[in-house]
């Protein structure tokens, strides 16, 4: 099997798809994207998501300490079934 | 599937850490969050495989070694290097991927991470004050 060269078009396509999962994707044009900008925005977004997981873990930890687990489970299941 | 796994993990954390500090419990919850994500994604993705390896490795090591910090959770990278390098350090398994795979895996990782955050937020909202 010969090695296939990755084209700029393929890279740009992947970058566009990546940009589409970032927040406020609908505000951006779908023209040729700047790789550096997309990568930077992506890094910032992942960092903010990691921070959210940290914060939510702390809040969940406090809630578990203060709440009876059965009523917590019931509340969670009710909300998921909505 | 993600919700079920995470809820099960949360219940386990609650049962096994009645006298732990908030910080210790919070670290276990954070690890449970990433573990649920990785198990739900399964072995089809490089990032989830990397996380699953990290968790199994950590569990095996913990039997021998003492307590460790939040193993299995993506580490906070330094801010030097190119944006692609930064991304490689943020995405589990990123340092092993070629550029194209990195871009694809990152998009999937972000989708799963967002779902996990939404799930945790809805749990906090439903259990918290006024959520009953």
């Amino acid at each position: 099997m010969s090695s296939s060269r990755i084209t700029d078009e393929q890279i740009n396509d992947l970058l566009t798809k990546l940009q589409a999962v970032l927040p406020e994707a609908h505000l951006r044009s779908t023209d040729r994207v700047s790789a550096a900008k997309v990568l930077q925005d992506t890094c910032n977004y992942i960092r903010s998501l990691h921070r959210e997981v940290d914060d939510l873990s702390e809040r969940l930890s406090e809630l578990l300490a203060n709440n009876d687990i059965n009523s917590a489970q019931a509340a969670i299941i009710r909300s998921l079934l909505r | 599937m993600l919700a079920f796994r995470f809820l099960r993990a949360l219940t386990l954390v609650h049962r096994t850490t009645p006298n732990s500090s908030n910080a210790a419990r919070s670290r276990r919850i954070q690890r449970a969050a990433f573990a649920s994500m990785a198990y739900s994604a399964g072995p089809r993705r490089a990032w989830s495989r990397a996380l699953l390896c990290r968790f199994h490795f950590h569990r095996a090591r913990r039997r021998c070694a003492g307590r460790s910090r939040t193993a299995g959770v993506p580490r906070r990278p330094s801010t030097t290097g190119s944006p692609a390098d930064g991304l490689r350090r943020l995405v589990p398994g990123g340092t092993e991927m070629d550029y194209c795979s990195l871009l694809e895996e990152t998009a999937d990782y972000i989708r799963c991470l967002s779902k996990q955050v939404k799930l945790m937020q809805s749990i906090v909202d439903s259990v918290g004050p006024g959520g009953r």
Side-chain angles (χ1 to χ4, degrees), chain B residues 12 15 17 26 42 57 65-67 69 73 75 80 83 87 91 95 97 104 106-107 123 132:
Chain B
L12 189 65
R15 257 192 225 128
T17 57
S26 152
F57 179 62
R67 71 174 288 283
R69 49 183 196 82
V73 174
R75 297 202 188 96
T80 55
L87 192 56
V91 175
T95 51
M97 297 174 197
E104 272 184 306
T106 302
I123 293 173
R132 304 268 170 92

Side-chain angles (χ1 to χ4, degrees), chain B:
Chain B
M1 209 50 209
L2 179 71
F4 170 70
R5 283 188 192 282
F6 186 58
L7 283 179
R8 200 171 55 177
L10 268 189
T11 311
L12 189 65
V13 169
H14 180 87
R15 257 192 225 128
T16 55
T17 57
N19 300 316
S20 297
S21 66
N22 215 44
R25 197 166 36 236
S26 152
R27 271 197 303 276
R28 285 198 58 185
I29 292 175
Q30 188 198 38
R31 208 159 60 227
F34 282 101
S36 306
M37 271 174 62
Y39 279 111
S40 294
R44 62 179 176 86
R45 281 288 175 187
W47 68 263
S48 53
R49 283 197 299 272
L51 274 182
L52 291 171
C53 280
R54 242 185 260 175
F55 285 121
H56 289 151
F57 179 62
H58 165 64
R59 282 234 298 268
R61 269 183 66 188
R62 228 165 41 139
R63 285 190 203 115
C64 324
R67 71 174 288 283
S68 63
R69 49 183 196 82
T70 54
V73 174
R75 297 202 188 96
R76 302 292 175 263
S78 63
T79 50
T80 55
S82 70
D85 289 343
L87 192 56
R88 284 182 189 286
R89 287 190 290 266
L90 283 168
V91 175
T95 51
E96 313 289 314
M97 297 174 197
D98 60 74
Y99 189 56
C100 284
S101 303
L102 178 67
L103 297 180
E104 272 184 306
E105 291 286 320
T106 302
D108 192 66
Y109 181 59
I110 288 179
R111 275 190 290 264
C112 294
L113 203 43
S114 311
K115 270 193 234 159
Q116 180 67 39
V117 165
K118 283 197 180 87
L119 172 63
M120 291 171 84
Q121 185 64 62
S122 69
I123 293 173
V124 166
D125 290 344
S126 58
V127 179
R132 304 268 170 92

Side-chain angles (χ1 to χ4, degrees), chain A residues 67-78, chain B residues 126-127 132:
Chain A
N67 283 268
D68 170 87
I69 189 64
N70 291 328
S71 56
Q73 280 177 323
I76 292 165
I77 291 166
R78 269 200 300 276
Chain B
S126 58
V127 179
R132 304 268 170 92

Side-chain angles (χ1 to χ4, degrees), chain A residues 3 10-11 14-15 19 23-29 31 45-47 49 52-53 57-58 64 66-67 69 73 75 82:
Chain A
S3 62
Q10 281 172 293
I11 301 268
L14 287 171
L15 285 170
Q19 198 186 45
E24 295 173 354
H26 59 281
L27 296 177
R28 299 200 184 86
S29 76
D31 299 339
Y45 188 46
I46 293 181
R47 279 190 208 107
L49 287 173
E52 282 199 68
V53 172
S57 297
E58 267 191 53
L64 282 184
N66 299 334
N67 283 268
I69 189 64
Q73 280 177 323
R82 247 180 247 135

